[in-house]
Amino acid sequence: MKFAYYLVFALWYLLSLLPLRVLYFFSDLLFIPLYYGFRYRGKIVRKNLVESFPDKDLKEIKAIERKFYHFFCDYVVEVIKMFSISQKEMKRRMVFTNLDEVRAELEKNDKKFCFLYLGHYCNWEYIASLTAWIPGMHGGQIYHRIYNQAFDELFLRLRGQFGGESILMKDTLRRILTLRKQDKRVMIGFISDQLPKWENMNHWTRFLNHDTSFFIGCERIAKQVDAALYYVDVERVKRGYYRATFRLMTLHPKEYPDYELTDMYARMLEQMIQREPAYWLWSHNRWKRTKEEWEKLFGPK
C-alpha cells in the first residue's frame, strides 16, 4: 500500500510542477472522452439534473451537464496542482473576503468555536487553505475516510499542507471536546451535503425538488459547545480563481429548535447551486436512498 501511495504521489507531484495553463490544456483534452466518450456517471448526472430542475427543458439541462463535466476536469487538475502550490499562490486563487468581520464578531461575543457549513461546490479542496488565512486560530475540517488507503493518505496530505487538521467523522465530537479544553479559537468546516447511511438519517427536508436527508452533526455539536455557525458561500470568479464569503447563520445555536439550522443550511446551499448549477457535484448519487424507503425501514410498525 505504501508503494501505491509513493507511486501516485510522485506522479501527481511531477504533474503539479507544470503551470496551471498547461494543466488546463490537459483538462480540455480529458473533457472530450469524459463527456463525449464513456460519459463518467452520465446516467446519474442526467437523472440528478432532470429531477432537480423540472422547469428546465432538455437543452438547458444539457448545457448545465456539459459545463459540469468541463468544470469537473478543471477540478481534477486543480487538485493535482495543489501538490506543489505555494501558500502565496493558493491565497491568490482562493480568497476569503470577510474574515476580519467574522473574527471581530467571534471576539466580541467571546466565541471559542466557529463551525462552517460547506458543500461539494466549486473546488471544495481549496477551502482547506483557510487555515493560512487565520493565524492564531486552530483550523480544521471533518472528513470521511476514502476507501482506497493510498488515496486517503494523499488527500489527508493535501488538506493538511496549510496547517489544517483533518478530523475523522466518527471522532468529531471527541476531538472537539478535547479542543474545547485548549485556550484558543477554533474554526472547523463541515461538508454536510453528503448522503448519510440509513442509521444516520434523522430528518428530511426539501432540497432541489427532492426529499433529502442531511448530516445533522454540525448542528448538534454546535449546540453542545455553543459554536457560532456560518455558511460559506463560494463563487468561481474565473478559471482557477474562487471567492468565499461567510454568511452568519447564528451566534446562538441553542436558541433554535432541532433541525431548523440544518434546514437553513439546505436552503442556503440550494440558492448557491441554483445561482450557478454546474459547480455542484452532480456525479454523486445523492438521492439513492429515498424517504419512502426510509419510512418502510424505520417508520411505525
Side-chain angles (χ1 to χ4, degrees):
M1 192 57 67
K2 280 293 183 183
F3 174 76
Y5 167 79
Y6 288 121
L7 181 64
V8 177
F9 173 78
L11 176 61
W12 285 8
Y13 181 79
L14 289 173
L15 284 172
S16 76
L17 297 176
L18 295 170
L20 255 176
R21 64 179 180 275
V22 177
L23 290 174
Y24 282 137
F25 171 75
F26 289 127
S27 172
D28 293 339
L29 291 179
L30 177 62
F31 167 74
I32 296 171
L34 198 71
Y35 181 68
Y36 292 105
F38 63 89
R39 189 67 72 93
Y40 171 70
R41 295 196 172 185
K43 290 182 180 179
I44 293 173
V45 173
R46 176 64 62 85
K47 180 176 182 291
N48 285 344
L49 286 170
V50 169
E51 291 179 354
S52 297
F53 301 107
D55 57 326
K56 296 185 183 298
D57 60 29
L58 186 57
K59 183 179 179 180
E60 292 174 296
I61 293 295
K62 285 184 175 180
I64 296 171
E65 190 176 74
R66 189 178 189 278
K67 192 172 182 180
F68 161 72
Y69 277 102
H70 218 151
F71 166 72
F72 185 77
C73 294
D74 282 359
Y75 163 80
V76 170
V77 300
E78 287 171 6
V79 169
I80 289 173
K81 183 62 181 177
M82 288 179 70
F83 278 87
S84 64
I85 198 168
S86 68
Q87 180 171 299
K88 181 179 179 181
E89 180 66 10
M90 187 77 258
K91 291 181 75 172
R92 269 198 336 114
R93 293 182 173 276
M94 183 69 246
V95 174
F96 299 91
T97 63
N98 58 336
L99 268 175
D100 289 342
E101 293 92 331
V102 173
R103 296 190 69 158
E105 196 71 49
L106 296 176
E107 291 172 8
K108 176 183 174 183
N109 290 275
D110 194 27
K111 290 290 180 178
K112 300 297 183 186
F113 282 96
C114 177
F115 290 174
L116 308 175
Y117 266 120
L118 303 160
H120 286 90
Y121 189 81
C122 286
N123 192 328
W124 57 91
E125 297 295 344
Y126 274 19
I127 303 294
S129 66
L130 172 62
T131 310
W133 290 77
I134 51 172
M137 293 186 73
H138 183 81
Q141 57 277 327
I142 310 304
Y143 88 102
H144 183 70
R145 182 174 281 131
I146 299 173
Y147 179 75
N148 183 287
Q149 187 178 339
F151 278 88
D152 188 60
E153 291 184 22
L154 284 166
F155 275 89
L156 281 176
R157 182 189 183 281
L158 279 185
R159 293 164 184 169
Q161 65 181 313
F162 300 109
E165 177 187 6
S166 292
I167 303 170
L168 194 61
M169 188 179 293
K170 68 181 182 65
D171 298 331
T172 302
L173 179 58
R174 184 186 310 115
R175 179 57 181 150
I176 287 174
L177 293 178
T178 299
L179 288 169
R180 185 166 63 172
K181 300 174 183 177
Q182 301 176 11
D183 188 25
K184 54 185 171 184
R185 299 192 191 280
V186 179
M187 189 173 281
I188 296 178
F190 290 73
I191 297 183
S192 299
D193 61 347
Q194 298 162 298
L195 175 65
K197 294 181 179 178
W198 288 117
E199 60 269 22
N200 293 323
M201 291 180 169
N202 300 283
H203 173 66
W204 295 81
T205 189
R206 290 297 288 177
F207 171 71
L208 291 175
N209 203 42
H210 295 82
D211 287 320
T212 308
S213 185
F214 288 88
F215 283 106
I216 61 172
C218 182
E219 174 182 334
R220 282 187 169 176
I221 299 173
K223 291 180 178 181
Q224 191 162 344
V225 299
D226 195 30
L229 276 175
Y230 283 82
Y231 178 78
V232 183
D233 190 303
V234 189
E235 302 168 86
R236 195 187 197 205
V237 179
K238 60 180 179 178
R239 202 176 198 183
Y241 291 85
Y242 302 90
R243 178 171 56 231
T245 303
F246 294 81
R247 311 291 187 195
L248 177 63
M249 296 173 69
T250 182
L251 294 169
H252 308 289
K254 295 179 182 179
E255 296 178 356
Y256 288 75
D258 287 346
Y259 311 124
E260 187 171 328
L261 290 166
T262 299
D263 288 348
M264 189 186 303
Y265 161 68
R267 291 193 298 271
M268 297 176 83
L269 176 64
E270 183 177 66
Q271 289 168 6
M272 185 173 70
I273 293 169
Q274 289 173 336
R275 186 178 67 216
E276 186 53 83
Y279 301 145
W280 196 51
L281 189 61
W282 295 104
S283 56
H284 178 46
N285 198 359
R286 182 64 179 84
W287 294 287
K288 68 179 179 181
R289 301 188 185 105
T290 67
K291 184 178 181 182
E292 290 74 21
E293 291 175 295
W294 181 84
E295 288 175 339
K296 289 178 182 177
L297 289 170
F298 300 98
K301 303 299 182 182

mmCIF file of all heavy atoms in Angstrom, residues 275-289:
data_model
loop_
_atom_site.group_PDB
_atom_site.id
_atom_site.type_symbol
_atom_site.label_atom_id
_atom_site.label_comp_id
_atom_site.label_asym_id
_atom_site.label_seq_id
_atom_site.Cartn_x
_atom_site.Cartn_y
_atom_site.Cartn_z
ATOM 1 N N ARG A 275 -27.893 29.417 -8.388
ATOM 2 C CA ARG A 275 -27.229 30.576 -8.980
ATOM 3 C C ARG A 275 -26.298 30.156 -10.124
ATOM 4 O O ARG A 275 -26.226 30.812 -11.151
ATOM 5 C CB ARG A 275 -26.442 31.307 -7.889
ATOM 6 C CG ARG A 275 -25.808 32.617 -8.318
ATOM 7 C CD ARG A 275 -25.113 33.260 -7.128
ATOM 8 N NE ARG A 275 -23.960 32.483 -6.681
ATOM 9 C CZ ARG A 275 -23.590 32.344 -5.400
ATOM 10 N NH1 ARG A 275 -24.294 32.908 -4.438
ATOM 11 N NH2 ARG A 275 -22.517 31.646 -5.089
ATOM 12 N N GLU A 276 -25.582 29.054 -9.943
ATOM 13 C CA GLU A 276 -24.675 28.520 -10.965
ATOM 14 C C GLU A 276 -24.606 27.005 -10.789
ATOM 15 O O GLU A 276 -23.725 26.486 -10.109
ATOM 16 C CB GLU A 276 -23.292 29.164 -10.838
ATOM 17 C CG GLU A 276 -22.316 28.771 -11.940
ATOM 18 C CD GLU A 276 -22.869 28.987 -13.329
ATOM 19 O OE1 GLU A 276 -22.802 30.124 -13.832
ATOM 20 O OE2 GLU A 276 -23.395 28.001 -13.895
ATOM 21 N N PRO A 277 -25.555 26.271 -11.380
ATOM 22 C CA PRO A 277 -25.703 24.835 -11.082
ATOM 23 C C PRO A 277 -24.501 23.967 -11.441
ATOM 24 O O PRO A 277 -24.282 22.929 -10.814
ATOM 25 C CB PRO A 277 -26.920 24.429 -11.920
ATOM 26 C CG PRO A 277 -27.639 25.700 -12.214
ATOM 27 C CD PRO A 277 -26.598 26.757 -12.295
ATOM 28 N N ALA A 278 -23.722 24.335 -12.431
ATOM 29 C CA ALA A 278 -22.686 23.443 -12.965
ATOM 30 C C ALA A 278 -21.585 23.121 -11.968
ATOM 31 O O ALA A 278 -20.840 22.152 -12.156
ATOM 32 C CB ALA A 278 -22.064 24.055 -14.221
ATOM 33 N N TYR A 279 -21.477 23.892 -10.890
ATOM 34 C CA TYR A 279 -20.332 23.730 -9.994
ATOM 35 C C TYR A 279 -20.605 22.854 -8.777
ATOM 36 O O TYR A 279 -19.776 22.761 -7.881
ATOM 37 C CB TYR A 279 -19.821 25.107 -9.543
ATOM 38 C CG TYR A 279 -19.394 25.990 -10.697
ATOM 39 C CD1 TYR A 279 -19.588 27.377 -10.658
ATOM 40 C CD2 TYR A 279 -18.817 25.440 -11.841
ATOM 41 C CE1 TYR A 279 -19.200 28.179 -11.718
ATOM 42 C CE2 TYR A 279 -18.436 26.240 -12.902
ATOM 43 C CZ TYR A 279 -18.628 27.609 -12.835
ATOM 44 O OH TYR A 279 -18.242 28.398 -13.895
ATOM 45 N N TRP A 280 -21.769 22.211 -8.741
ATOM 46 C CA TRP A 280 -22.034 21.238 -7.682
ATOM 47 C C TRP A 280 -21.673 19.842 -8.184
ATOM 48 O O TRP A 280 -21.586 19.604 -9.394
ATOM 49 C CB TRP A 280 -23.506 21.281 -7.260
ATOM 50 C CG TRP A 280 -23.784 20.592 -5.942
ATOM 51 C CD1 TRP A 280 -23.123 20.785 -4.762
ATOM 52 C CD2 TRP A 280 -24.813 19.627 -5.668
ATOM 53 N NE1 TRP A 280 -23.670 20.003 -3.766
ATOM 54 C CE2 TRP A 280 -24.714 19.278 -4.296
ATOM 55 C CE3 TRP A 280 -25.806 19.034 -6.438
ATOM 56 C CZ2 TRP A 280 -25.555 18.356 -3.686
ATOM 57 C CZ3 TRP A 280 -26.656 18.121 -5.842
ATOM 58 C CH2 TRP A 280 -26.529 17.784 -4.477
ATOM 59 N N LEU A 281 -21.485 18.893 -7.272
ATOM 60 C CA LEU A 281 -21.019 17.555 -7.631
ATOM 61 C C LEU A 281 -22.197 16.677 -8.066
ATOM 62 O O LEU A 281 -22.657 15.824 -7.310
ATOM 63 C CB LEU A 281 -20.256 16.924 -6.462
ATOM 64 C CG LEU A 281 -19.529 15.601 -6.753
ATOM 65 C CD1 LEU A 281 -18.461 15.783 -7.826
ATOM 66 C CD2 LEU A 281 -18.903 15.053 -5.475
ATOM 67 N N TRP A 282 -22.647 16.856 -9.292
ATOM 68 C CA TRP A 282 -23.809 16.128 -9.788
ATOM 69 C C TRP A 282 -23.531 14.649 -10.028
ATOM 70 O O TRP A 282 -24.475 13.850 -10.156
ATOM 71 C CB TRP A 282 -24.310 16.772 -11.088
ATOM 72 C CG TRP A 282 -24.827 18.142 -10.868
ATOM 73 C CD1 TRP A 282 -24.204 19.317 -11.171
ATOM 74 C CD2 TRP A 282 -26.071 18.503 -10.259
ATOM 75 N NE1 TRP A 282 -24.976 20.391 -10.792
ATOM 76 C CE2 TRP A 282 -26.130 19.918 -10.228
ATOM 77 C CE3 TRP A 282 -27.146 17.773 -9.742
ATOM 78 C CZ2 TRP A 282 -27.220 20.600 -9.704
ATOM 79 C CZ3 TRP A 282 -28.227 18.455 -9.218
ATOM 80 C CH2 TRP A 282 -28.258 19.858 -9.203
ATOM 81 N N SER A 283 -22.284 14.247 -10.082
ATOM 82 C CA SER A 283 -21.960 12.838 -10.316
ATOM 83 C C SER A 283 -22.130 11.981 -9.066
ATOM 84 O O SER A 283 -22.029 10.748 -9.132
ATOM 85 C CB SER A 283 -20.527 12.708 -10.835
ATOM 86 O OG SER A 283 -19.606 13.317 -9.943
ATOM 87 N N HIS A 284 -22.383 12.616 -7.920
ATOM 88 C CA HIS A 284 -22.626 11.869 -6.694
ATOM 89 C C HIS A 284 -24.072 11.363 -6.690
ATOM 90 O O HIS A 284 -25.001 12.128 -6.969
ATOM 91 C CB HIS A 284 -22.386 12.782 -5.486
ATOM 92 C CG HIS A 284 -22.651 12.140 -4.163
ATOM 93 N ND1 HIS A 284 -22.201 10.887 -3.836
ATOM 94 C CD2 HIS A 284 -23.335 12.594 -3.076
ATOM 95 C CE1 HIS A 284 -22.578 10.589 -2.606
ATOM 96 N NE2 HIS A 284 -23.273 11.604 -2.127
ATOM 97 N N ASN A 285 -24.271 10.102 -6.382
ATOM 98 C CA ASN A 285 -25.618 9.511 -6.370
ATOM 99 C C ASN A 285 -26.340 9.926 -5.084
ATOM 100 O O ASN A 285 -26.625 9.110 -4.209
ATOM 101 C CB ASN A 285 -25.525 7.990 -6.481
ATOM 102 C CG ASN A 285 -26.841 7.361 -6.912
ATOM 103 O OD1 ASN A 285 -27.835 8.063 -7.118
ATOM 104 N ND2 ASN A 285 -26.861 6.050 -7.046
ATOM 105 N N ARG A 286 -26.646 11.196 -5.007
ATOM 106 C CA ARG A 286 -27.101 11.837 -3.774
ATOM 107 C C ARG A 286 -28.426 11.287 -3.249
ATOM 108 O O ARG A 286 -28.653 11.230 -2.048
ATOM 109 C CB ARG A 286 -27.239 13.355 -4.019
ATOM 110 C CG ARG A 286 -27.674 14.170 -2.790
ATOM 111 C CD ARG A 286 -26.621 14.072 -1.723
ATOM 112 N NE ARG A 286 -26.938 14.835 -0.526
ATOM 113 C CZ ARG A 286 -27.709 14.416 0.467
ATOM 114 N NH1 ARG A 286 -28.318 13.253 0.398
ATOM 115 N NH2 ARG A 286 -27.884 15.150 1.543
ATOM 116 N N TRP A 287 -29.312 10.888 -4.156
ATOM 117 C CA TRP A 287 -30.662 10.508 -3.726
ATOM 118 C C TRP A 287 -30.949 9.019 -3.950
ATOM 119 O O TRP A 287 -32.094 8.640 -4.227
ATOM 120 C CB TRP A 287 -31.689 11.375 -4.452
ATOM 121 C CG TRP A 287 -31.587 12.815 -4.034
ATOM 122 C CD1 TRP A 287 -31.986 13.358 -2.849
ATOM 123 C CD2 TRP A 287 -31.028 13.903 -4.785
ATOM 124 N NE1 TRP A 287 -31.716 14.704 -2.807
ATOM 125 C CE2 TRP A 287 -31.127 15.076 -3.989
ATOM 126 C CE3 TRP A 287 -30.460 14.012 -6.055
ATOM 127 C CZ2 TRP A 287 -30.677 16.323 -4.426
ATOM 128 C CZ3 TRP A 287 -30.009 15.251 -6.478
ATOM 129 C CH2 TRP A 287 -30.120 16.388 -5.682
ATOM 130 N N LYS A 288 -29.927 8.182 -3.800
ATOM 131 C CA LYS A 288 -30.164 6.745 -3.994
ATOM 132 C C LYS A 288 -30.943 6.137 -2.824
ATOM 133 O O LYS A 288 -31.534 5.061 -2.955
ATOM 134 C CB LYS A 288 -28.844 5.997 -4.202
ATOM 135 C CG LYS A 288 -27.925 5.921 -3.002
ATOM 136 C CD LYS A 288 -26.660 5.141 -3.346
ATOM 137 C CE LYS A 288 -25.707 5.054 -2.169
ATOM 138 N NZ LYS A 288 -24.466 4.318 -2.521
ATOM 139 N N ARG A 289 -30.939 6.803 -1.666
ATOM 140 C CA ARG A 289 -31.766 6.376 -0.541
ATOM 141 C C ARG A 289 -32.914 7.366 -0.417
ATOM 142 O O ARG A 289 -32.690 8.562 -0.239
ATOM 143 C CB ARG A 289 -30.954 6.319 0.755
ATOM 144 C CG ARG A 289 -29.770 5.372 0.667
ATOM 145 C CD ARG A 289 -29.093 5.188 2.025
ATOM 146 N NE ARG A 289 -27.897 4.382 1.868
ATOM 147 C CZ ARG A 289 -26.654 4.854 1.899
ATOM 148 N NH1 ARG A 289 -26.445 6.132 2.121
ATOM 149 N NH2 ARG A 289 -25.620 4.048 1.742
#
